[in-house]
Structures are given as C-alpha cells and as structure tokens.
Amino acid sequence: MRPLFGFLAGLVFGVGLLWSGMANPAKVLNFLDVFGAWDASLAFVMGGASLTAFIGYRLAWRQSRPLLLADFQIPTSSDIDLRLLSGAAIFGIGWGIGGFCPGPAWTALPMAAPGTLIFVPAMLIGITLGRALKS
C-alpha cells in the first residue's frame, strides 16, 4: 500500500511542478533576476506550498500515528553546522546556475531539453561525490 501512495504523492507533486511552470528553468532564473526580467510566480508557488505544508502538519499532528507507518519519523538533530551550511550553499548555487532543483529536474527530464540532459547527470555525479566525501 505504501508504494502506491508514494507513487500517487510523487505523481501529484510532478503534475503540480509542470502545471506551475517550475519544470521550466527560465521561471526560476527570472525569479532570481530581480533587476531584469523578474517573475514573481515562484514566490506564489512557494507560498502555496508553505501554506499547504502548514495545514497538512497541523492535521497530521492531531493523529496518534501516521496512516502507513508505526510512528512519526521526525529528525532529531537541529544543529546548524558547516556541513549543513555548505550543502545549502552548493544547492543554492546549483539552483541559481541551472534553474533546477532535483524535483523539477526529474519532472522536466522527459521533455529532453538540452539543459535538463546536462543538469540531471551532473546532479547525480554530485550526489555520488557528496556521498563518497561524507563517508
């Protein structure tokens, strides 16, 4: 049952990315270009996602346990350390250069745009190198 709900959640997420235009790196790059062709639509997408998450968490915490697991899996670490900050910086730089983060990149992959065909393999190489450096 969990794989089915995981698939459905991913499908809804992917359709939402496509519908909102977030699979188009120009949307992200235009959002970051505050002195040029600025496009505020990404802010509305993030705001809608934040509102949805806020309401969803409020509803989830009212339950004694999640529907498909024995208990809630909540991160225990709240440390802000060099690894967290450097990872966030690398993610942000990649997002600003490529106009993609991992979710929209996978969503845009079937469109076979040249930028996507370069970004996704580079992202996978970066993930592999990051894991190797971490261990």
Side-chain angles (χ1 to χ4, degrees), residues 21-126:
M22 293 301 112
N24 179 2
K27 277 275 203 202
V28 174
L29 295 173
N30 286 341
F31 174 74
L32 297 173
D33 186 11
V34 292
F35 297 113
W38 189 63
D39 179 1
S41 61
L42 178 59
F44 291 106
V45 170
M46 288 191 285
S50 297
L51 181 63
T52 301
F54 178 81
I55 293 168
Y57 273 108
R58 295 303 169 277
L59 294 173
W61 295 138
R62 291 183 181 178
Q63 309 301 313
S64 59
R65 68 177 198 81
L67 294 174
L68 303 174
L69 294 172
D71 59 352
F72 289 104
Q73 298 175 351
I74 302 168
T76 56
S77 175
S78 61
D79 297 340
I80 298 175
D81 58 7
L82 182 61
R83 283 178 46 197
L84 175 68
L85 294 175
S86 61
I90 291 168
F91 177 90
I93 291 167
W95 189 52
I97 292 171
F100 280 121
C101 62
W106 283 111
T107 303
L109 194 58
M111 291 183 253
T116 310
L117 297 177
I118 294 169
F119 182 88
V120 171
M123 176 184 71
L124 294 174
I125 290 168

Side-chain angles (χ1 to χ4, degrees), residues 11-24 27 103-104 106-111:
L11 183 65
V12 168
F13 180 69
V15 167
L17 288 173
L18 287 170
W19 187 46
S20 65
M22 293 301 112
N24 179 2
K27 277 275 203 202
W106 283 111
T107 303
L109 194 58
M111 291 183 253

